[in-house]
Amino acid sequence: MSSFIIYPAIDIRGGKCVRLVQGDYNQETIYNENPVEVAQEWEAGGASWIHLVDLDGAKAGHPVNDELVGNIARSVNVPVQIGGGIRTLADVERYMELGVSRVILGTAAIEDRAFVEDVLAKYGDKVAIGIDARDGLVATRGWLETSEVRAEDLAVELAAKGAKTFIFTDISRDGMMGGPNTEAIANLARISGQTVIASGGVSQMSDLTRLAGHVNEGVGGAIVGKALYIGNIDLAQAIEEIRNVTAPN
């Protein structure tokens, strides 16, 4: 059986660890002034990956907190992935030089297909495609705009160009603590034939076990944010439970 990875999320805005509700920059909660400390705490709790988002970068259209991301990458001994405002090859190369293990391309997947195909050709599995959908249609620019492209169509097209990992967010579920859209996530994995990481809506342990039940269909993990910060999910316990759920019989 494939492994299912829990990715603790650190969303960065103004150099601080924050959470937004459904991507709304006016609905922000600051959880910690020092994201480096947060990353170290998640590593100590057993995290095998850490998920970073440059919220300022997503809005600005270029990396803003890249120095801080590099500090985080150097401060932990587990790989980190970063998304938010990565639109040029220079952005990707900069993050690779800073020690990031995987970059996440979102808006660019819709707006600059040639760039995405170039990055996939050059960096392969060091690239994840972030597909954020509202009512099945891909949203861009920090969720401020919605395209006419269906999530499944984009995944199939980019899988054919070499994309191995997708991060899927149902925006309606993000930050709402109502559970992820497991059906849509598993469906995307089946249709694309690639690994899909769930993002948005994970609020309790049962959400993770439900997602992990689809690991053999390609659901390879879940990004967890608010539920960890408010104590609904204990990271170390969750990792242990998922290990038991996905262990071969």
Side-chain angles (χ1 to χ4, degrees):
M1 181 176 277
S2 304
S3 61
F4 184 94
I5 297 169
I6 298 173
Y7 295 78
I10 300 176
D11 290 3
I12 302 167
R13 188 178 184 206
K16 299 171 184 177
C17 174
V18 308
R19 293 297 293 168
L20 306 181
V21 175
Q22 293 185 318
D24 186 344
Y25 285 72
N26 295 315
Q27 296 190 62
E28 176 189 87
T29 302
I30 297 172
Y31 284 112
N32 195 299
E33 302 276 339
N34 188 341
V36 173
E37 284 182 1
V38 179
Q40 291 170 336
E41 287 172 15
W42 294 144
E43 181 185 23
S48 58
W49 271 86
I50 292 172
H51 174 79
L52 306 175
V53 180
D54 180 357
L55 290 172
D56 297 302
K59 198 169 187 180
H62 58 82
V64 173
N65 292 287
D66 46 330
E67 288 284 348
L68 177 54
V69 169
N71 290 342
I72 292 170
R74 288 188 295 272
S75 76
V76 294
N77 295 306
V78 296
V80 303
Q81 60 185 23
I82 175 70
I86 301 171
R87 309 278 168 83
T88 70
L89 194 56
D91 294 338
V92 176
E93 290 168 347
R94 164 87 171 139
Y95 275 129
M96 294 298 171
E97 290 167 1
L98 287 170
V100 167
S101 295
R102 187 156 63 201
V103 295
I104 303 161
L105 306 181
T107 294
I110 289 289
E111 297 186 354
D112 193 347
R113 190 64 59 84
F115 157 68
V116 173
E117 291 177 12
D118 286 347
V119 175
L120 285 169
K122 185 169 184 180
Y123 289 103
D125 59 8
K126 292 185 176 181
V127 180
I129 304 297
I131 298 181
D132 304 334
R134 185 183 278 115
D135 300 323
L137 298 175
V138 179
T140 61
R141 298 191 173 272
W143 300 350
L144 300 175
E145 299 177 16
T146 305
S147 74
E148 295 299 315
V149 178
R150 294 200 60 78
E152 293 92 340
D153 295 340
L154 180 62
V156 169
E157 287 175 28
L158 290 178
K161 298 295 183 180
K164 303 292 186 191
T165 305
F166 295 96
I167 296 174
F168 179 74
T169 307
D170 183 334
I171 295 170
S172 68
R173 308 294 182 103
D174 185 72
M176 301 304 291
M177 306 297 287
N181 191 340
T182 304
E183 185 177 329
I185 294 157
N187 188 52
L188 194 70
R190 286 192 296 268
I191 289 173
S192 68
Q194 304 298 335
T195 299
V196 175
I197 299 167
S199 175
V202 172
S203 62
Q204 54 196 346
M205 192 61 222
S206 60
D207 295 330
L208 290 173
T209 53
R210 194 176 305 115
L211 286 165
H214 295 275
V215 70
N216 283 341
E217 296 165 68
V219 179
I223 293 163
V224 187
K226 186 176 180 180
L228 290 173
Y229 289 98
I230 66 175
N232 276 24
I233 294 175
D234 177 273
L235 180 62
Q237 287 180 356
I239 291 168
E240 183 62 28
E241 286 195 42
I242 291 300
R243 190 177 291 126
N244 292 337
V245 167
T246 58
N249 295 322

